[in-house]
Amino acid sequence: MALVFALILSCFIGLTQGQLRVGFYSQTCPNAEEIVSSVVREAVASDPTMAAALLRLQFHDCFVEGCDGSILIDNGQGSERQAFGHQGVRGYEVIDRAKAQLEAECRGVVSCADIVALAARDSIALSNGPSYDVPTGRRDGRVSNSTLADNMPDVSDSIEQLKAKFRQKGLSHKDLVVLSAAHTIGTTACFFMTDRLYNFFPGGGSDPSINPDFLPELQATCPQNGENSVRLALDRGSELTFDNSILSNIRDGFAVLESDAKLYQDEATSRVVDSYFGLLSSVLGPSFETDFVNSIVKMGQIGVKTGSRGEIRRSCRSFN
Ligand code: HEM
Ligand SMILES: *[C@@H]1O[C@H](CO)[C@@H](O)[C@H](O)[C@H]1NC(C)=O
């Protein structure tokens, strides 16, 4: 009896993350997850770069005011999404499309914050990454202010700053490495490469940690005083597939972003990178994909609003 109870309890704990719950909408809007999936599938089919955009969107949502859809609010100058730290974030119209379909099917039930989390999950699966259950039940926040995004992690942050910014959100140095590996898909604008290629601190020039075979390639794509909006793959050679090649690139000096390169210049974080390339790691683990799922589910709990806090927005771009 006690054993049965313990089994039921552990099952329950497995499904409940914080106050979120897998299948939160199973009674109130049974097709909710399928609606989001189909909208994301269509969006990615017509624009393959959208998967990466939607994965990044969840990170930027969760790191400011918690995973509460605050980044989606579009109330002009001073709204959070205008913040410098959110430069280049895309995918808002995909969230709007899912929301419109959800409102048509079950009015006032599914939060924008949950749509963001589900869309990131679907984007990973569409990129051949792992499939996983998303605990849901987030409610939408009622605050949007660009100053709140001042502390977003930045490409030129030191590894200590990056670790501290993740720690402040309840995420470990291992989560930092594993979640940065989301850069296995997507691209960056040359805008974020200028300092690393031509004005590296200290001393100017280029970042000495860039593999000498890679530097000319980066500089050819992003010439000094060239077009800032030109884009290059974050995971050289594998920008549309969710895999751990980003980690071998980081290890070998082929990281594109400065913040990714720094993950291999610190003892604790480099040990996490190396853990996926041990002689027997393909057999004995740890598995990058399993670790990634655990970390992104954890990221999805940051500052969530449940119960009577927050609201279910009618439109993701504005407060009710
Ligand atoms: C550790 C701190 C991080 C920094 C400094 C950082 C920085 C950046 C920068 C500068 C870009 C290029 C943006 C652009 O030009 O559009 C980017 C792209 C991206 N980031 Fe991060 N990032 C970090 C962590 C994360 C995390 C935790 C995730 C998700 C779990 C993530 C997911 C992505 C994705 C998928 C892209 C590609 C977006 C696209 O192709 O449109 N990043 N990141
Ligand atoms: C945003 O926050 C700043 C600093 O707290 C404040 O001065 C400003 O009025 C706020 N803006 C809006 C639109 O609420």
Side-chain angles (χ1 to χ4, degrees):
M1 185 63 207
L3 181 66
V4 171
F5 181 73
L7 270 174
I8 292 171
L9 189 71
S10 68
C11 207
F12 183 72
I13 290 170
L15 291 175
T16 323
Q17 298 279 345
Q19 302 172 65
L20 305 180
R21 178 159 62 78
V22 171
F24 183 84
Y25 299 111
S26 59
Q27 304 296 316
T28 50
C29 192
N31 292 326
E33 298 199 17
E34 182 45 40
I35 290 172
V36 176
S37 293
S38 74
V39 169
V40 171
R41 214 179 305 125
E42 273 169 39
V44 173
S46 71
D47 175 3
T49 73
M50 199 44 80
L54 291 168
L55 173 52
R56 184 173 186 228
L57 180 62
Q58 190 190 7
F59 164 54
H60 285 253
D61 182 27
C62 291
F63 263 63
V64 180
E65 288 289 291
C67 312
D68 72 344
S70 56
I71 193 172
L72 306 173
I73 293 293
D74 192 6
N75 53 3
Q77 275 287 304
S79 59
E80 184 196 314
R81 72 154 80 179
Q82 308 287 336
F84 181 81
H86 291 327
Q87 189 108 350
V89 172
R90 301 179 297 135
Y92 298 108
E93 65 291 348
V94 179
I95 305 298
D96 289 340
R97 234 174 286 142
K99 179 63 173 174
Q101 289 195 23
L102 287 164
E103 287 300 288
E105 177 140 334
C106 358
R107 220 159 79 92
V109 172
V110 180
S111 68
C112 299
D114 278 342
I115 299 172
V116 170
L118 292 167
R121 181 268 304 271
D122 296 334
S123 297
I124 291 167
L126 288 168
S127 310
N128 290 321
S131 303
Y132 58 95
D133 288 333
V134 179
T136 43
R138 296 167 189 81
R139 291 170 65 85
D140 298 321
R142 300 203 27 84
V143 173
S144 164
N145 188 322
S146 67
T147 62
L148 295 168
D150 285 348
N151 215 23
M152 275 302 289
D154 187 87
V155 272
S156 59
D157 282 346
S158 70
I159 187 71
E160 292 309 326
Q161 284 172 308
L162 291 170
K163 285 196 229 174
K165 287 178 179 181
F166 274 64
R167 200 180 310 120
Q168 277 162 18
K169 305 292 174 191
L171 299 172
S172 66
H173 73 273
K174 180 177 173 182
D175 296 316
L176 167 63
V177 174
V178 170
L179 289 169
S180 294
H183 295 151
T184 176
I185 54 173
T187 55
T188 180
C190 288
F191 176 81
F192 292 105
M193 300 300 296
T194 316
D195 286 351
R196 187 165 195 231
L197 295 177
Y198 304 106
N199 191 24
F200 194 66
F201 179 83
S206 58
D207 179 348
S209 78
I210 300 172
N211 186 308
D213 292 338
F214 192 31
L215 182 62
E217 188 179 316
L218 288 173
Q219 290 184 324
T221 313
C222 301
Q224 193 161 21
N225 307 316
E227 193 54 66
N228 263 335
S229 59
V230 170
R231 303 191 69 85
L232 70 160
L234 292 168
D235 183 12
R236 181 177 185 259
S238 168
E239 74 184 79
L240 291 173
T241 309
F242 191 102
D243 55 20
N244 73 357
S245 72
I246 180 74
L247 293 171
S248 44
N249 274 334
I250 288 172
R251 195 188 45 174
D252 299 340
F254 288 84
V256 170
L257 294 180
E258 186 182 334
S259 56
D260 287 352
K262 283 184 180 137
L263 299 174
Y264 210 62
Q265 295 161 27
D266 170 82
E267 225 190 282
T269 52
S270 66
R271 227 180 294 124
V272 178
V273 175
D274 285 337
S275 72
Y276 300 104
F277 299 103
L279 211 52
L280 291 175
S281 26
S282 60
V283 201
L284 300 175
S287 141
F288 164 64
E289 300 206 328
T290 306
D291 287 351
F292 184 86
V293 166
N294 288 331
S295 290
I296 197 164
V297 167
K298 196 168 155 192
M299 183 181 86
Q301 324 280 326
I302 299 172
V304 294
K305 298 165 178 72
T306 55
S308 58
R309 299 171 62 214
E311 64 185 14
I312 306 295
R313 277 181 218 147
R314 282 186 283 275
S315 153
C316 292
R317 289 181 191 253
S318 49
F319 302 124
N320 286 344

